[in-house]
Amino acid sequence: MGERTGGRGRKPGVRAALAALALAALASGCGQSDSGATAHPAPPAHGARPLHAPPARALDSYATRLRAAYIARVAAAKRWGLAKVPLQAPPAPAHKPEITARKGFEVDDQEELNLPPVFTTIPTKQKIVFLTIDDGENKDPAFLRMMDELKIPYTAFLSNYLVKDDYGYFRKMQAQGHTINNHTLTHPYLPGLSYAEQKREICGMQDTMKKQFGKAPTVFRPPYGNYNHDTLVAAKSCGIKYAPIWDEEVFVDHWEYREDDQELHPGDIVLTHFRGRDEWKGTMVDDMRRFLGKVTAEGYAVARLEDYL
C-alpha cells in the first residue's frame, strides 16, 4: 500500500503524533477500517509474512479519535483537581489468571468443596490496582460525573439497607459501565450468625440485585472482611464464585495497609467506602483525588476487577 500524504496545512508535529498513534494501532493488531472492511495489501515476497494494515484514512481517523479522547481526559483531570492524568490500564487479559484463596485465608474443605476463594490481590506483574467501594450510603452525583469523565473503572459492593432509598443512583452507575456486587442485605457480622441466617443475608441480596439491577452477581464481599466456613458454603449456594476483600484502604485523609511494607503492589485490591462530609473530612470526590493522586504518581493504572475474574 502506497504512502498517503497529510492534508494541506497540517503541521509537522501533528503529522508526527498521528503517525505515532497509527503505529501504535498497528502494533495492537488493528486491521479493519471504520466500515469494517479488511484491507488487501499487495502479495508479499516469497517467504515473507503478509502485513495486514488498515487503510491510511482509517488510521488517520483512529489516531484523531485517540487524540481527542486523551485531550478530554487531560481536561477532566484538570477540572477535578488532579496533579496528573490517570494512566490507562492495559487491555483485559486474553487468558484470565487463576484465582485461589490467599494463604491463611482458606477455610476447612476450601478446595474439596470448591468454595469461593477469599483473596486480596490479583496475580499479575502489570502495574495495575483495582478500586472497590463498599456499602452505598453516600450517593454523591459529583462522584459519578468525576469517574465517568476520567474513565476510571470501579466495583461497588452494595448493602440493601443503604441503597434501597435510591436504587436509581446505582442503576446510573451500572449504565456507566461499572459493576455492582453483593455486600449482604443488612451488613451484619456474618460469623456471628447461623448458616441459615447467613444464607438469607447473601441469597436475599442476590434476589434484590436481580430484581433491581437485572442480574444476580457472582462476586460477594463479606462485611468487615469477616467470614467463616458457613459464609462461603452459603455464598456458593447463592451462586457466588469469588469473595475478594482488600489489601489497602483509602480514606479522604490517609491510607491503611494490610502488608508490613506499607506499599502498593501489582494487582492489589483497594477498598474505600461511599462516604461524605457527615462522616469524613471531605467528599467522595476528595477521596478519589487522594486515591488517584497516589496510584498515578507511583505509576499504577486502575483496571476493572471483573476483567480478571
Side-chain angles (χ1 to χ4, degrees), residues 155-218:
T155 297
F157 289 90
L158 305 181
S159 291
N160 191 55
Y161 84 108
L162 291 173
V163 304
K164 63 183 180 181
D165 63 331
D166 191 358
Y167 289 125
Y169 180 87
F170 300 97
R171 292 192 192 104
K172 184 173 182 180
M173 180 183 297
Q174 186 181 37
Q176 290 176 346
H178 306 290
T179 308
I180 52 178
N181 287 317
N182 189 327
H183 200 43
T184 71
L185 289 170
T186 66
H187 204 276
Y189 174 71
L190 289 174
L193 303 181
S194 68
Y195 172 80
E197 291 169 329
Q198 292 198 52
K199 185 174 180 179
R200 184 160 54 249
E201 281 284 340
I202 301 168
C203 288
M205 189 57 181
Q206 291 288 87
D207 294 340
T208 296
M209 297 192 78
K210 185 174 182 179
K211 178 180 179 181
Q212 297 296 334
F213 305 112
K215 61 184 296 186
T218 59

Side-chain angles (χ1 to χ4, degrees), residues 9-219:
R10 178 173 288 170
K11 296 181 179 179
V14 175
R15 286 202 301 272
L18 292 175
L21 289 169
L23 287 173
L26 286 173
S28 65
C30 179
Q32 291 188 329
S33 70
D34 287 344
S35 63
T38 303
H40 298 285
H46 179 69
R49 298 180 63 184
L51 174 64
H52 296 290
R57 186 181 300 278
L59 282 179
D60 188 80
S61 175
Y62 178 62
T64 300
R65 292 198 304 272
L66 284 180
R67 185 171 182 271
Y70 179 73
I71 290 173
R73 293 178 70 241
V74 170
K78 182 177 180 180
R79 184 161 53 252
W80 293 105
L82 301 181
K84 295 183 178 180
V85 180
L87 301 174
Q88 287 191 298
H95 302 286
K96 297 187 179 185
E98 180 182 4
I99 306 297
T100 58
R102 174 171 169 158
K103 186 176 181 180
F105 288 58
E106 311 95 332
V107 298
D108 291 341
D109 302 320
Q110 176 81 50
E111 294 185 4
E112 292 81 355
L113 297 178
N114 192 28
L115 298 178
V118 176
F119 53 99
T120 62
T121 301
I122 295 291
T124 180
K125 294 181 180 179
Q126 295 178 311
K127 291 196 72 173
I128 54 175
V129 294
F130 303 93
L131 174 63
T132 62
I133 312 177
D134 279 9
D135 65 44
E137 180 177 352
N138 183 267
K139 304 168 184 67
D140 185 353
F143 163 77
L144 292 183
R145 293 195 304 272
M146 177 186 192
M147 303 302 271
D148 187 49
E149 291 177 11
L150 291 168
K151 307 304 178 190
I152 304 297
Y154 58 90
T155 297
F157 289 90
L158 305 181
S159 291
N160 191 55
Y161 84 108
L162 291 173
V163 304
K164 63 183 180 181
D165 63 331
D166 191 358
Y167 289 125
Y169 180 87
F170 300 97
R171 292 192 192 104
K172 184 173 182 180
M173 180 183 297
Q174 186 181 37
Q176 290 176 346
H178 306 290
T179 308
I180 52 178
N181 287 317
N182 189 327
H183 200 43
T184 71
L185 289 170
T186 66
H187 204 276
Y189 174 71
L190 289 174
L193 303 181
S194 68
Y195 172 80
E197 291 169 329
Q198 292 198 52
K199 185 174 180 179
R200 184 160 54 249
E201 281 284 340
I202 301 168
C203 288
M205 189 57 181
Q206 291 288 87
D207 294 340
T208 296
M209 297 192 78
K210 185 174 182 179
K211 178 180 179 181
Q212 297 296 334
F213 305 112
K215 61 184 296 186
T218 59
V219 184

